[in-house]
Amino acid sequence: MALYVSPGFSRAADAHLRLALMFKARRHWAAAAVHFRRARLAPHQDATFTRLELSFHAAHLLEARGLRKAARDAYERLLEEPKLSSTLKADVCRQLGWLYHRCVSLGEPAARARAAIWCLQRAVAAEPESGAGLYLLGRCFAAQGKVHDAFIAYRNSVEKSEGNADTWCSIGVLYQQQNQPMDALQAYICAVQLDKGHSAAWTNLGSLYESCQMPRDAFACYTNGGSAATANNAALRQRLAFLKAHLALAPMPSITGKRRQLPSIEEAWNLPISAEMSSRAPKSAPPPYPGKRDELSQHQLHTLHYLQKNSHNLTPQQQALMQQLLSQYRLAQAAKTRAVTKQEGSGSTTGSDTTESLAEDLLKKFSDVQPEIKKEPISSDTNTSNSSGNEAVLCGRQPVVKLEPLKTDPLKPVTFHIGMNSKQILEACKDNAGPATSWSVLGDGCGPPEPPSVPPPRLSPEQLAPPAPFVYVESKREAFSPQLQDFCLKHPIAVVRGLTAALKLDLGLFSTKTLVEAWPDHAVEVRTQLMQSADENWDATGRRRVWACASHRSHTTVRKYAQYQAGSFQESLREERERAAPLSDSDSGPAKRRRAARMLRFGTNVDLSDERKWRPQLAELQKLPAFARVASAANMLSHVGHVILGMNTVQLYMKVPGSRTPGHQENNNFCSINLNIGPGDCEWFGVPDAYWGGVRELCERHGLSYLHGSWWPDPDELRAHGVPVYRFTQRPGDLVWVNAGCVHWVQATGWCNNIAWNVGPLTARQYTLALERYEWNKVQNFKSIVPMVHLTWNLARNIRVSDPRLHRAMRTCLMQTLRAATGTLNTVRARGMPIRFHGRARGEASHYCGACEREVWHALLVREHERRHVVHCLQCARRASPSLQGFLCLEEHHMDELAQVYDAFTLHRPAPLGAHAALPPD
């Protein structure tokens, strides 16, 4: 929100870095990369971090995304920097060393082991007071069988940071390997007391108890490890099932039975470290455990130990004393845990665990660091103080804000309204166009839109599963009737059946066979996905239902995908013949899902925009009624004036069963048309626009970004949240109309092709929803691929509007952007920059800021960057250079022409016979 209100404020770099770290912690890689890039482009004079620190976190993002070789190269480039601080050098060496240790793709095992130890030793040398490097060094020594060296590294690590559960878990592993079960038990207990959710320590504890013939305690420990321990460990799941069955039939352990090798888990949890254990310090043993120092005295520990051993024969006073000492012991342990201010995240057992810890560590550090403000002595010279009257100096600090003389009377602010003509607006803007925060296209003083809550009242079960609106077209007359368009505009989503037959559309022009014959080498984007049923979405293990919908992108040609599509069909026929065999009892549940889990390839985004290549196909679509055509005067997107691929051009999709288009709203909430070419069906799900905030809320609960993420909703979960869900089948020849803002997701149930494009009906609802999403995208740092400002000015030139609501919304946008253009030019002139007229070529694409990706209209601030000219908005240009030095300002239109367009855009009064809300001019 801070970046939306003021994109050019001086701490924008910090805001982008914090956003990048938060997105990285939530595993939203693409969004994190965007903000790291924007943080790098922003000025750093007021930043609380250096560019080298930013480069380190960008390198770690590569590692977290699985791009390990690229991450290694980025880390090694950082180590060559001469100005690298010792702390940052330690972080880089630690990450690089651990990367070498665990990543088999970085070389031979022996060479990787040497590189890992060398890097970690450099990390320890660079930051001797940190225990993180020592812990990882111990892990590397242990992996090579160097037990003595590992113990020494762990011991030194614990002396630096006793509260690290990972270190104690690793110490326990070494003790267990050295056949010292009691010492291993106490180390593991230390680990789980520090971190009760430490799955590795609980699992190791279970293994220890099993080796000592104590199955009940082993089962309890395995269970405490939670789903994190069993998710990717089939052997452990089988062991748990065996123990559960075994313990159900086993007799309870006898008190008089043979002496156990270890205390039970309940006894061990409350057992303080013995005096013998605390006092001895063999050369290869770790240091004393947390709790020995600065906690209970030695006498108190002996007393507590004695009372626990005789807990069944204590007097009430002795029981009270035991509880008091035990409570004091636990409080001291908890206090010491809370005192650990630095999470040693890089010491986690898996590479992906470092993602959250590194980001959260830096965010936590930010909360404790305040920017340094240079203090200057206050001069007693009255002449000096008078000469700096325009600067605010507080308590001897360096001036924070430089106040410029006001050009207008603040008591008489200018109020802009759509009743003003262009001359009045331009005259008012000469003195004060207002701050950039007042230039919102929604109107002065309007904040950005917010996602709506699920609207009341609560819907009934029948209302939560509404039938999809169907309309059957039987003749060409019905196809071109205004009632068909009204039906579509009235519903969030609708199916038009029989339209292609009534209009005699040749759908064979879009078949795979025709495409291969016409352009076999045409490019196809491929999405590799997991095949599963339409109303389910499972994780990779096939055990947990999730919303995250993974797919991997690659590219191929029409010919090659056609071969795959045909081969997939032949393979399905073979499977049908084999399926006649009887199923075993195991062919159900997760086991069946895992065996059946296979990958499919979905051919998507096949561009049919080239009229020279696809003339027959595009000409055939001209048979559709005007409201559904790719191009028509009544379609807003036909007034953009340039191509927006997939929106005002046709795209084709080549599918096999299971191909998925994940949940989304169309770009800038425009309507869309989807035609199923066949021969198979598609299954559709849709949510009305009024409930999109509820869908977004559930996405956030599942840790997914609504705009940047890929998600496949659970219909039952949506309905339980009060969100209605349409569900229907699209047959060959069916046209699906997706109204403005409708959330939808689609899965092919057969082999088929589909074609789709967007349309923008000239209605107040469509325009308002598009404009609101344009502003909300700015808040979410998401690029609006429809340039709404450029489109609005073109609409004002090309159409007459008779709907008062549409006219008011458009005229507000025109007024606000006229203010913004004038204000930008005033700022440029005030800094002595030349302004050159650039104009717009026919078909020239709209311009976007190279830093923030917002639309830049009329006044283009251009600067050369890496041998190419990059357009900036005013805020980003001032952030890069407050004086705008190095920038050139290009003007796209003559101001007189804009003034004429604005003044000519008036509310059209139609003749009494009536007319449509918006008509092309005569």
Side-chain angles (χ1 to χ4, degrees), residues 210-230:
E210 270 208 275
S211 68
C212 295
Q213 307 299 316
M214 299 175 67
R216 291 185 185 278
D217 297 285
F219 181 76
C221 293
Y222 287 144
T223 305
N224 284 340
S227 59
T230 59

Side-chain angles (χ1 to χ4, degrees), residues 23 54 59 121 170 363 376 409 446 496 529 611 655 884:
F23 279 125
L54 179 62
Q121 286 174 336
S170 298
L363 288 168
E376 296 182 356
D409 185 353
C446 293
V496 184
Q529 301 172 333
E611 294 182 3
K655 303 179 180 180
L884 298 181

Side-chain angles (χ1 to χ4, degrees), residues 547-659:
W547 277 39
C549 183
S551 67
H552 305 284
R553 186 168 65 173
S554 59
H555 294 85
T556 187
T557 63
V558 166
R559 179 196 289 113
K560 290 180 180 177
Y561 190 85
Q563 293 169 352
Y564 165 75
Q565 200 176 37
S568 168
F569 181 71
Q570 295 297 328
E571 182 183 353
S572 176
L573 292 178
R574 285 195 300 271
E575 290 178 355
E576 283 293 332
R577 290 193 293 268
E578 295 169 359
R579 202 169 294 167
L583 297 175
S584 65
D585 293 340
S586 63
D587 288 332
S588 61
K592 181 180 178 182
R593 276 195 301 274
R594 285 195 300 277
R595 281 198 304 279
R598 58 181 178 182
M599 307 309 287
L600 61 89
R601 299 172 68 202
F602 171 23
T604 183
N605 298 338
V606 182
D607 175 26
L608 303 187
S609 65
D610 192 335
E611 294 182 3
R612 295 168 299 176
K613 282 186 174 182
W614 310 106
R615 185 178 299 278
Q617 287 79 5
L618 299 179
E620 193 69 14
L621 296 179
Q622 287 300 107
K623 295 179 181 179
L624 290 168
F627 79 92
R629 287 180 198 153
V630 182
S632 80
N635 179 358
M636 285 190 205
L637 295 173
S638 297
H639 296 270
V640 172
H642 61 80
V643 166
I644 305 176
L645 289 177
M647 293 203 69
N648 56 10
T649 66
V650 181
Q651 282 190 331
L652 179 132
Y653 304 87
M654 307 175 75
K655 303 179 180 180
V656 297
S659 298

Side-chain angles (χ1 to χ4, degrees), residues 205 305 341 345 357 414 500 546 807 836 918:
L205 258 178
H305 191 52
T341 56
S357 57
V414 177
T500 54
V546 295
H807 175 266
R836 297 181 187 173

Side-chain angles (χ1 to χ4, degrees), residues 298-589:
Q298 199 68 30
H299 175 70
Q300 288 173 316
L301 284 173
H302 279 300
T303 303
L304 179 57
H305 191 52
Y306 172 83
L307 293 173
Q308 285 180 318
K309 278 187 175 180
N310 300 279
S311 58
H312 298 292
N313 300 314
L314 299 180
T315 65
Q317 292 83 359
Q318 290 173 323
Q319 288 180 350
L321 176 60
M322 183 183 73
Q323 291 301 324
Q324 179 184 352
L325 290 173
L326 191 58
S327 176
Q328 184 179 345
Y329 176 79
R330 288 175 175 168
L331 285 172
Q333 285 278 63
K336 182 157 288 190
T337 303
R338 287 193 299 270
V340 179
T341 56
K342 185 171 183 180
Q343 301 293 330
E344 305 290 356
S346 57
S348 54
T349 55
T350 63
S352 61
D353 293 340
T354 65
T355 306
E356 294 84 354
S357 57
L358 272 174
E360 290 171 355
D361 180 33
L362 189 57
L363 288 168
K364 187 173 183 180
K365 186 170 73 174
F366 279 150
S367 65
D368 300 327
V369 177
Q370 298 298 326
E372 293 184 5
I373 300 176
K374 181 181 177 182
K375 293 192 176 182
E376 296 182 356
I378 301 177
S379 173
S380 59
D381 188 343
T382 56
N383 293 332
T384 306
S385 61
N386 290 337
S387 65
S388 59
N390 287 338
E391 296 183 355
V393 181
L394 303 175
C395 303
R397 289 184 173 87
Q398 160 181 338
V400 179
V401 179
K402 186 171 183 179
L403 302 177
E404 297 181 356
L406 295 173
K407 297 180 180 179
T408 58
D409 185 353
L411 299 178
K412 296 179 181 179
V414 177
T415 302
F416 291 88
H417 56 86
I418 60 174
M420 301 170 71
N421 60 33
S422 60
K423 184 177 180 181
Q424 292 170 323
I425 293 172
L426 295 175
E427 282 295 326
C429 288
K430 281 183 181 178
D431 295 327
N432 184 9
T437 53
S438 66
W439 298 342
S440 166
V441 294
L442 300 178
D444 194 353
C446 293
E450 295 183 355
S453 302
V454 174
R458 179 79 180 184
L459 300 181
S460 66
E462 293 76 20
Q463 291 172 318
L464 289 169
F470 272 81
V471 61
Y472 296 85
V473 175
E474 297 180 349
S475 66
K476 188 172 182 180
R477 182 178 178 182
E478 289 181 358
F480 283 88
S481 67
Q483 287 80 11
L484 179 60
Q485 180 178 2
D486 292 341
F487 178 86
C488 291
L489 291 174
K490 221 183 289 181
H491 295 95
I493 195 166
V495 183
V496 184
R497 184 159 289 170
L499 179 70
T500 54
L503 298 176
K504 298 181 180 178
L505 257 69
D506 182 5
L507 299 183
L509 289 169
F510 300 94
S511 67
T512 301
K513 181 176 180 294
T514 305
L515 296 172
V516 171
E517 291 172 351
W519 297 99
D521 296 322
H522 195 65
V524 179
E525 180 183 321
V526 174
R527 290 285 179 170
T528 304
Q529 301 172 333
L530 181 68
M531 179 179 286
Q532 43 196 330
S533 64
D535 53 357
E536 294 181 342
N537 192 56
W538 298 86
D539 65 3
T541 67
R543 292 186 168 273
R544 190 166 61 95
R545 292 185 70 165
V546 295
W547 277 39
C549 183
S551 67
H552 305 284
R553 186 168 65 173
S554 59
H555 294 85
T556 187
T557 63
V558 166
R559 179 196 289 113
K560 290 180 180 177
Y561 190 85
Q563 293 169 352
Y564 165 75
Q565 200 176 37
S568 168
F569 181 71
Q570 295 297 328
E571 182 183 353
S572 176
L573 292 178
R574 285 195 300 271
E575 290 178 355
E576 283 293 332
R577 290 193 293 268
E578 295 169 359
R579 202 169 294 167
L583 297 175
S584 65
D585 293 340
S586 63
D587 288 332
S588 61

Side-chain angles (χ1 to χ4, degrees), residues 29-64:
W29 311 131
V34 167
H35 286 287
F36 276 131
R37 182 175 65 83
R38 293 181 182 176
R40 189 180 294 111
L41 291 171
H44 283 232
Q45 58 267 25
D46 294 327
T48 56
F49 62 94
T50 66
R51 291 190 182 275
L52 292 177
E53 288 172 328
L54 179 62
S55 298
F56 168 66
H57 282 280
H60 181 258
L61 177 63
L62 294 173
E63 179 184 349

